[in-house]
Amino acid sequence: MRPRPEPIHVVKERRDRALAVLVASVPYIATMGISFDRRGDELTAVLNYDDKLIGNPLLPALHGGATASFLEVAAIMELGFHILWEEIESGRMDADALSPDTLPRMPKTVDFTVDYLRSGLPRDAYARARVNRSGRRYASVHVEAWQDNRTRLFAQATGHFVMPDPG
């Protein structure tokens, strides 16, 4: 007899808890004012607008460093969430026992290239990362950021990461 599948709300709560612990383990995310919206296994990073993010007050435009940081955080969290979720679903990690001390190690950035396509406006920004390749040692991730219109990107980036030893 096959085991009954878990109710969807149980899986949703477990994913939300895993994401919350993962995000809380990186204090820089709160400093930047970044939050995450999770739908299924898809994460959308949200850079919540704050005046401190403006680099050129005459335009005004988001600072390039804030934009690059936002994109890198989105990429690393996408990778980290998938690593964490795989550990939970395989049974190697208990979602209820998660804490910053029990999380798997995060990927490390090797290089990160940002294309600034237009000025970031003084409003919330959104980003989604797509893992192009993820192996035991290396991952490649592409990230796209937009504000009002998903098809009108203001920045995009590609990053390469060293994956943590599972050990």
Side-chain angles (χ1 to χ4, degrees):
M1 178 181 260
R2 289 176 24 190
R4 292 179 56 188
E6 291 181 298
I8 193 71
H9 74 279
V10 172
V11 175
K12 180 185 179 320
E13 289 170 9
R14 192 166 54 233
R15 284 186 179 186
D16 289 344
R17 170 149 171 65
L19 179 61
V21 172
L22 187 63
V23 168
S25 74
V26 183
Y28 182 70
I29 292 172
T31 300
M32 286 290 296
I34 299 170
S35 59
F36 290 87
D37 180 32
R38 187 195 60 75
R39 300 282 187 243
D41 65 349
E42 184 176 77
L43 296 180
T44 300
V46 181
L47 179 62
N48 298 289
Y49 177 75
D50 190 310
D51 286 340
K52 71 181 178 186
L53 301 172
I54 294 296
N56 184 339
L58 297 177
L59 292 177
L62 293 178
H63 191 283
T67 299
S69 296
F70 173 52
L71 294 171
E72 188 172 6
V73 163
I76 289 174
M77 293 307 287
E78 180 74 22
L79 281 171
F81 185 68
H82 283 287
I83 291 168
L84 178 58
W85 191 245
E86 187 176 300
E87 291 292 306
I88 291 169
E89 287 299 289
S90 70
R92 293 186 295 264
M93 189 168 275
D94 179 9
D96 295 328
L98 282 179
S99 74
D101 298 329
T102 62
L103 288 172
R105 291 182 28 230
M106 295 293 279
K108 302 291 184 210
T109 306
V110 174
D111 66 58
F112 201 76
T113 303
V114 179
D115 297 324
Y116 298 96
L117 306 173
R118 60 184 42 88
S119 294
L121 301 172
R123 57 182 62 125
D124 291 353
Y126 308 92
R128 275 203 197 123
R130 179 184 71 248
V131 177
N132 293 327
R133 179 192 186 284
S134 180
R136 287 190 337 240
R137 297 183 182 170
Y138 164 87
S140 174
V141 180
H142 181 75
V143 188
E144 296 179 339
W146 70 95
Q147 290 183 302
D148 296 328
N149 182 337
R150 175 77 174 89
T151 63
R152 188 169 157 80
L153 304 179
F154 77 94
Q156 63 184 5
T158 300
H160 301 105
F161 303 87
V162 173
M163 299 300 283
D165 283 332

